[in-house]
Amino acid sequence: MKKLSASAKVYLAIVFIVLYAPIFYLIFYSFNSGGSMNNFESFTLEHYKAVFEDSRLLVILINTVIVALLSALISTIIGTLGAIGIVTVKNSRMRNTLLSLNNVLIVSPDVIIGASFLILFTMIGVKLGFASVLLAHVAFSVPIVVLMVLPKLLEMNKSLIDAALDLGATKKDVMMRVILPYIKPGIFAGFFLALTYSLDDFAVTFFVTGNGFSTLSVEIYSMARAGISLTINALSGLVFFVTVIVVIGYYFITSRTSKRTEGQQ
């Protein structure tokens, strides 16, 4: 593997500093005993304590986690089946059309997707709340899962399926014992990426959430509009830490899976 030059390393360092400096600045002042982000007076956990003492914020946190887990699970199932369906399409023009439609949803602006779902739910009479947020999160997560699973399917040697069929395996056996174990890394990647997207999403959720239901991203935005409060910093810090834990968990699981696969070969 070719090593990075000194200039490339400096460039990467600058990029990471620009990306992460505002986040760490925000988290740093979440431990400030003062009421502003101008001067750091002393270390305190009172803002985090305020978050956990606020029953409304705890309910919103639970709502966010439930929506993220359910949408990631449902979208992983649908996306995996969709990727398998796309690969099995023999007509190349139809396959490319399906892939293009899938990719359009990924590159489309979140504002457009959120507004479209708002119009759709209003037309068909879906009440804005938990159900609308869950459906919207599943919808924008499915293309992500498809994109993560598809490369593993294309990488798979079709002779494995033919061999299994020749040995008397049913289509169900081929799916459960050949295809799914092989594409497991892609499935895990799709699940964790969908989970992260759901936890962090604001634009789509902002359009489809209703009175009495909210997620952390929307709540943080609402609190920020009301005025500067270090409770927002603490809440944002918690969201960041949860996202980091999810990413670490993903890499831990994928590394164990890859080592297990290498050991079986």
Side-chain angles (χ1 to χ4, degrees):
M1 187 176 178
K2 191 175 180 181
K3 291 185 178 180
L4 292 174
S5 63
S7 58
K9 291 179 180 178
V10 171
Y11 174 76
L12 283 175
I14 293 173
V15 170
F16 280 113
I17 290 172
V18 170
L19 289 174
Y20 284 95
I23 298 175
F24 289 123
Y25 178 79
L26 180 146
I27 294 174
F28 174 73
Y29 273 97
S30 69
F31 299 103
N32 182 21
S33 60
S36 67
M37 296 176 64
N38 296 325
N39 296 310
F40 191 91
E41 296 181 4
S42 61
F43 180 86
T44 183
L45 293 174
E46 64 180 10
H47 305 297
Y48 287 91
K49 184 179 179 182
V51 171
F52 288 105
E53 287 179 348
D54 191 331
S55 58
R56 182 173 177 274
L57 281 179
L58 291 178
V59 170
I60 292 173
L61 175 62
I62 294 171
N63 289 340
T64 304
V65 173
I66 291 175
V67 169
L69 289 173
L70 283 177
S71 64
L73 179 62
I74 297 171
S75 61
T76 299
I77 295 172
I78 297 174
T80 302
L81 295 177
I84 294 172
I86 291 173
V87 169
T88 56
V89 174
K90 295 182 179 180
N91 190 316
S92 59
R93 182 176 295 180
M94 177 63 70
R95 190 188 311 118
N96 291 332
T97 301
L98 292 173
L99 285 173
S100 299
L101 291 173
N102 181 80
N103 295 336
V104 164
L105 290 175
I106 295 176
V107 299
S108 295
D110 289 344
V111 174
I112 301 300
I113 296 175
S116 300
F117 275 116
L118 175 61
I119 295 171
L120 174 64
F121 292 147
T122 303
M123 289 176 60
I124 64 178
V126 175
K127 186 179 179 181
L128 298 182
F130 175 80
S132 61
V133 173
L134 179 62
L135 289 173
H137 282 218
V138 169
F140 70 67
S141 297
V142 167
I144 299 169
V145 176
V146 171
L147 207 63
M148 300 304 294
V149 174
L150 206 57
K152 295 299 296 181
L153 285 169
L154 296 175
E155 179 187 299
M156 184 177 180
N157 192 340
K158 293 184 179 179
S159 61
L160 294 173
I161 299 176
D162 296 333
L165 292 173
D166 291 339
L167 291 172
T170 62
K171 291 184 177 180
K172 181 181 178 180
D173 292 332
V174 171
M175 175 69 74
M176 301 302 296
R177 299 185 180 184
V178 179
I179 297 177
L180 290 182
Y182 189 89
I183 64 174
K184 189 187 295 182
I187 295 175
F188 278 124
F191 174 82
F192 281 105
L193 199 58
L195 182 66
T196 306
Y197 266 69
S198 178
L199 287 172
D200 294 341
D201 180 73
F202 165 74
V204 176
T205 308
F206 180 77
F207 279 93
V208 298
T209 191
N211 293 330
F213 184 86
S214 183
T215 61
L216 280 178
S217 58
V218 176
E219 184 64 19
I220 290 172
Y221 172 76
S222 301
M223 292 172 66
R225 290 186 63 187
I228 298 175
S229 171
L230 295 186
T231 305
I232 300 174
N233 293 43
L235 191 56
S236 302
L238 289 172
V239 174
F240 177 76
F241 289 135
V242 169
T243 304
V244 169
I245 290 171
V246 169
V247 173
I248 293 174
Y250 160 68
Y251 280 112
F252 177 75
I253 292 174
T254 51
S255 62
R256 286 190 61 183
T257 304
S258 60
K259 287 180 181 179
R260 191 179 301 156
T261 303
E262 290 175 0
Q264 292 175 351
Q265 291 178 351

